[in-house]
Amino acid sequence: MTQLIWLITGCSSGFGELLTQHVLSRGDLVIATSRNLEKVQHLDRAGAAILQLDVTHSQQGIDDTVAKAVSIYGRIDVVVNNAAYIVTGGWEDVEYEQLLSQFETNVFGTYKVTRAILPHFRERRSGTMVFISSLSGWHGHPFVGPYAGSKFALEGLVESLSREIAPLGIKTILIEPGRFRTNLLSPGNLQAVPSRISEYMAASQAHLDGLAKEDRTQAGDPRKAVTIIADLVKGEGCALGREVPFRLPLGADCYEGVREKCEGTLKVLEDWGHVIHSTDYDEM
Ligand SMILES: NC(=O)c1ccc[n+]([C@@H]2O[C@H](COP(=O)([O-])OP(=O)(O)OC[C@H]3O[C@@H](n4cnc5c(N)ncnc54)[C@H](OP(=O)(O)O)[C@@H]3O)[C@@H](O)[C@H]2O)c1
């Protein structure tokens, strides 16, 4: 396969860092971006081009950075919208500004980066957009509202996008990881809002204790995940000769979570079908 040129957001750790290293090892070129260039010097030494990109910057700032990225190798073939973080806390405890910040990074940042690259992809009638969603794009677990809300929003935005750009020859892949061992839950990255409200305190604390226990013990191996992502984009390995789906959960926990949601939804449709079907005008 021809050498691909990747632009990846959020490369200082986790999936972004590992995907950069993995695709370099497969002979592709990478523009690894981070809001702090100090944190991606090792990727520079490994052969990636590095660029400073905070996805919360203005649309103009992001347009300028993406234009600079395109000029490095003359084109971009794959964009991976990976940068995100978690705000976790209850509805009555998380402030509006914290919710807005969550969406600024996970949703609006992704939106801006995607809008910046789309003219380039449209002009070339090719390109692959990869989005990293989550099991939290299927389930709103208690005290995970801000993060789950951001991933549900991303799912809807990206599903629409995929249908708009498929006729132009641009592919979209939405990856939904379950729980993987990255820095996502590390104390510096996770923005945890413990409850101050007596009715929620015990459940909120149990949730936060659970996340602390999960940090760095998650069952998912992110190296395996990034290998699959590269396979899907390149049509190699597990994707060789197969049609790549738009949406792919990753991890046994995500498999179960998605299945449970689908089965539960189908059951509601079966049990309540007569009510659901009863709302059209009689003359229709
Ligand atoms: N690990 C999991 O279990 C899991 C599960 C489902 C989905 N995901 C998704 O996977 C993606 C990557 O997360 P990860 O698990 O690899 O966690 P991670 O190790 O914490 O990496 C997150 C990356 O996002 C970057 N980032 C955060 N805010 C940013 C901003 N405003 N601009 C640019 N970069 C920013 C971080 O950079 P800094 O170092 O500058 O903060 C970091 O490089 C996220 O979309 C996450 O929601 C992860």
Side-chain angles (χ1 to χ4, degrees):
M1 189 180 181
T2 52
Q3 186 179 50
L4 295 179
I5 300 163
W6 300 61
L7 173 78
I8 306 173
T9 67
C11 293
S12 70
S13 67
F15 289 131
E17 176 187 40
L18 294 169
L19 184 62
T20 298
Q21 291 164 336
H22 179 74
V23 295
L24 285 173
S25 78
R26 285 169 75 159
D28 285 350
L29 297 172
V30 185
I31 300 145
T33 70
S34 170
R35 54 185 168 172
N36 180 352
L37 282 184
E38 290 303 311
K39 292 188 180 178
V40 286
Q41 291 303 322
H42 62 301
L43 298 178
D44 185 24
R45 288 191 293 277
I50 58 169
L51 270 187
Q52 202 262 341
L53 175 62
D54 183 329
V55 301
T56 65
H57 281 169
S58 67
Q59 183 70 66
Q60 187 59 57
I62 291 176
D63 288 351
D64 292 347
T65 304
V66 168
K68 207 187 285 179
V70 170
S71 74
I72 293 176
Y73 297 116
R75 64 169 208 277
I76 289 171
D77 301 304
V78 188
V79 171
V80 183
N81 276 293
N82 167 70
Y85 74 102
I86 297 184
V87 173
T88 186
W91 268 64
E92 292 191 68
D93 290 294
V94 172
E95 299 296 340
Y96 169 75
E97 288 72 20
Q98 292 171 303
L99 182 66
L100 194 59
S101 297
Q102 176 76 110
F103 274 66
E104 284 288 358
T105 297
N106 297 10
V107 183
F108 308 141
T110 298
Y111 194 72
K112 286 186 262 186
V113 171
T114 304
R115 293 190 78 227
I117 196 70
L118 279 175
H120 179 64
F121 281 6
R122 262 194 298 109
E123 195 184 319
R124 297 176 47 235
R125 286 286 192 274
S126 76
T128 303
M129 303 284 333
V130 180
F131 296 88
I132 310 297
S133 179
S134 173
L135 172 59
S136 290
W138 280 86
H139 284 275
H141 296 109
F143 305 104
V144 189
Y147 181 66
S150 74
K151 293 297 186 180
F152 270 68
L154 184 69
E155 293 259 340
L157 283 165
V158 170
E159 191 169 289
S160 288
L161 174 74
S162 70
R163 292 168 179 164
E164 289 164 18
I165 62 180
L168 307 181
I170 305 168
K171 288 188 218 151
T172 311
I173 303 173
L174 184 67
I175 301 293
E176 297 166 328
R179 297 171 181 87
F180 281 80
R181 217 170 288 178
T182 67
N183 286 353
L184 196 66
L185 300 182
S186 69
N189 290 5
L190 181 75
Q191 299 218 356
V193 183
S195 186
R196 293 152 307 186
I197 299 167
S198 60
E199 287 92 329
Y200 302 124
M201 266 180 191
S204 158
Q205 196 51 53
H207 165 70
L208 294 179
D209 291 346
L211 290 184
K213 216 181 270 178
E214 207 180 288
D215 182 25
R216 293 281 152 195
T217 62
Q218 295 97 326
D221 178 347
R223 286 187 170 75
K224 292 186 178 172
V226 300
T227 303
I228 293 170
I229 294 170
D231 283 350
L232 297 174
V233 170
K234 292 169 77 66
E236 297 174 356
C238 71
L240 187 65
R242 303 187 69 181
E243 194 175 329
V244 173
F246 158 64
R247 177 183 274 113
L248 193 70
L250 286 182
D253 56 345
C254 202
Y255 182 96
E256 289 309 323
V258 171
R259 193 184 184 102
E260 183 193 309
K261 179 97 179 228
C262 290
E263 287 175 352
T265 306
L266 283 173
K267 184 156 174 21
V268 171
L269 293 180
E270 276 161 27
D271 293 353
W272 289 83
H274 60 294
V275 176
I276 295 167
H277 275 112
S278 69
T279 53
D280 285 352
Y281 285 103
D282 290 336
E283 67 268 23
M284 297 293 285

